[in-house]
């Protein structure tokens, strides 16, 4: 088999996928961008028979022709009974989506390598329960969802982690085949939650991480900084600064404190990282941010073209980690793929 013949099916699949995406964009061109929430009205719900539905339609046509040919009243009765069942199924399937409200929820930031959990909230306000709903993003789908009357539920999509960066969620699809499976109704959604992926932390002092010898805490210190002092523990001291070795010797809690307030300010510097690869440097800085935060230190972050002044607390930690996540990148649309692919 020639090598170029192997790629023909993959090229055909890509071409069909592009044509399908173009068709979906053309069909949904009149829909406004959803943003944080979407309400499913009649103008954005689509319905078609499934394979089982087309099979049933063929059987009904054959039965109708037979009924006409033989003028059999019982055959007419059975034929139109099946038509009525199909008509009612169409009505029930369509209204299983009609009137639903779907809203985004905050997406917890993750580190590179961790699975992404995308929560979306589905709310029912029409006074009827909804069954067998499926929410999809690319090849990923949630388990079938049910919503009680006047209630709500949270759907969580688990996606493969694409690596460091800021992402938006691509087009979503909400569909159902309830109750008989002979018809499928669906709607396209363009909800846009922000997805933040931090670099995977790497200890600069770990030889496997490519780093060299660092201080005991793995933090960048200023030249000439006075060594830390040990003092008795006071209520409110950060747990990360407790000297556990001293506790093991004496049974009393002590904490490590810098010799001066100015010396306690740390600068985590891009240039000080013992690595040449930019992604490795970002991962090392990520580790240092986490270590400084856990120890309750006051720290700043220096990146090429950006400086975050020394501070502390959860808000400063989140600001530093976000700066690392979006360093020299632009927000892009997430490309969903099967986990482990």
């Amino acid at each position: 088999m020639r090598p170029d013949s192997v790629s023909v099916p993959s090229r055909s699949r890509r071409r069909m996928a592009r044509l399908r995406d173009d068709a979906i964009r053309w069909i949904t061109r009149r829909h406004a961008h959803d943003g944080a929430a979407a309400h499913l009205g009649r103008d954005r719900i689509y319905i078609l028979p499934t394979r089982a539905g087309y099979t049933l339609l063929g059987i009904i046509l054959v039965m109708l022709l037979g009924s006409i040919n033989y003028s059999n009243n019982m055959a007419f009765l059975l034929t139109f009974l099946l038509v009525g069942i199909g008509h009612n199924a169409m009505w029930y399937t369509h209204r299983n989506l009609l009137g639903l409200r779907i809203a985004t929820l905050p997406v917890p930031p993750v580190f590179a390598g961790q699975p992404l959990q995308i929560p979306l909230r589905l709310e029912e306000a029409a006074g009827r329960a909804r069954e067998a709903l499926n929410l999809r993003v690319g090849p990923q789908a949630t388990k079938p969802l049910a919503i009680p009357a006047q209630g709500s539920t949270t759907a969580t999509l688990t996606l493969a982690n694409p690596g460091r960066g800021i992402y938006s969620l691509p087009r979503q699809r909400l569909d159902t085949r309830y109750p008989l499976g002979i018809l499928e109704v669906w709607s396209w959604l363009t909800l846009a939650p922000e997805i933040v992926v931090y670099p995977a932390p790497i200890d600069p002092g770990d030889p496997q991480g490519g780093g060299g010898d660092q201080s005991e805490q793995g933090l960048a210190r200023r030249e000439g900084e006075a060594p830390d002092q040990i003092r008795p523990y006071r209520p409110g001291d950060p747990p990360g600064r407790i000297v556990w070795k001293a506790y093991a010797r004496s049974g009393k809690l002590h904490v490590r404190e810098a010799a001066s307030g100015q010396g306690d300010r740390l600068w985590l510097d891009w240039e000080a990282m013992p690595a040449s690869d930019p992604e490795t440097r970002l991962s090392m800085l990520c580790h240092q941010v986490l270590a400084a935060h856990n120890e309750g230190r006051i720290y700043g972050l220096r990146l090429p073209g950006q400086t975050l002044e020394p501070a502390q607390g959860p808000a400063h930690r989140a600001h530093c980690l976000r700066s690392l996540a979006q360093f020299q990148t632009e927000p892009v649309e997430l490309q969903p793929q099967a986990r482990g692919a």
Side-chain angles (χ1 to χ4, degrees):
M1 182 181 293
R2 293 181 302 173
D4 56 346
S5 63
V6 178
S7 60
V8 172
S10 61
R11 288 202 300 269
S12 299
R13 285 193 295 268
R14 288 197 296 269
R15 188 178 298 111
M16 291 301 297
R18 286 197 298 269
L19 290 175
R20 182 174 180 271
D21 289 340
D22 291 341
I24 293 172
R25 281 194 292 269
W26 183 82
I27 292 171
T28 60
R29 67 191 186 281
R30 69 181 187 278
H31 299 165
H33 188 75
D34 292 324
H39 183 269
L40 301 187
R42 299 181 188 276
D43 61 330
R44 56 183 303 171
I45 296 178
Y46 306 91
I47 186 169
L48 281 175
T50 62
R51 182 176 299 178
Y54 283 116
T55 302
L56 178 61
L57 180 60
I59 293 173
I60 290 175
L61 291 175
V62 172
M63 291 176 62
L64 179 61
L65 292 176
S67 303
I68 294 173
N69 185 56
Y70 293 101
S71 299
N72 188 314
N73 291 335
M74 293 303 295
F76 275 119
L77 177 62
L78 180 58
T79 300
F80 289 112
L81 176 62
L82 292 178
V83 171
I85 292 174
H87 179 271
N88 284 341
M90 181 185 301
W91 182 65
Y92 274 100
T93 304
H94 184 270
R95 79 172 197 159
N96 200 36
L97 285 191
L98 184 63
L100 281 179
R101 184 178 184 273
I102 303 94
T104 61
L105 294 175
V107 180
V110 298
F111 295 94
Q114 297 178 341
L116 288 173
Q117 303 286 336
I118 313 296
L120 298 173
R121 190 167 188 82
L122 286 76
E123 300 177 356
E124 200 290 315
R128 57 179 181 270
R130 312 300 178 100
E131 304 287 343
L133 301 173
N134 301 292
L135 183 63
R136 310 175 191 273
V137 174
Q140 296 296 329
T142 63
K143 296 179 180 179
L145 305 167
I147 308 176
Q150 300 291 337
S152 63
T153 188
T154 299
T156 302
L157 283 160
T158 302
L159 306 178
N161 194 312
R164 177 186 71 86
I166 308 293
Y167 301 92
S168 61
L169 195 62
R171 181 179 57 241
Q172 309 98 52
R173 188 179 192 265
L174 182 65
D175 62 69
T176 182
R177 295 186 177 188
Y178 178 83
L180 299 182
I182 61 175
L183 294 154
E184 182 177 36
V185 62
W186 73 93
S187 181
W188 297 107
L189 308 171
T190 53
L191 300 171
E194 185 181 62
I195 303 168
V196 182
V197 181
Y198 301 145
I202 295 178
D203 186 353
D206 184 0
Q208 296 181 353
D213 294 335
Q214 298 291 316
S215 63
E216 180 180 353
Q217 293 80 29
L219 300 176
R221 297 177 179 269
R222 294 180 174 182
E223 287 189 14
E225 180 183 345
D228 291 341
Q229 297 178 349
I230 305 300
R231 64 166 174 79
Y233 175 83
R234 293 194 294 263
D237 287 332
R241 307 194 67 177
I242 296 177
V243 184
W244 295 107
K245 291 182 179 180
Y247 175 75
R249 289 194 300 267
S250 63
K252 298 181 180 180
L253 290 176
H254 291 76
V255 297
R256 180 180 291 106
E257 185 177 53
S260 65
Q262 182 65 21
D264 197 36
R265 293 173 178 264
L266 304 177
W267 279 104
L268 311 180
D269 199 329
W270 166 276
E271 299 295 339
M273 295 300 101
S276 57
D277 178 58
E279 294 300 323
T280 303
R281 289 192 180 195
L282 292 172
S283 294
M284 291 179 175
L285 287 170
C286 178
H287 178 275
Q288 291 193 336
V289 167
L290 298 176
H293 174 75
N294 291 337
E295 293 184 5
R297 307 298 295 266
I298 299 175
Y299 60 95
L301 178 64
R302 288 195 182 110
L303 296 171
Q306 183 181 14
T307 299
L308 302 183
E309 293 299 323
Q312 62 182 161
H316 183 60
R317 171 187 179 273
H319 190 191
C320 291
L321 292 177
R322 183 183 177 88
S323 297
L324 297 176
Q326 64 184 10
F327 177 71
Q328 293 184 350
T329 62
E330 295 293 336
V332 296
E333 187 175 277
L334 185 66
Q335 297 298 323
Q337 57 185 341
R339 282 175 294 165

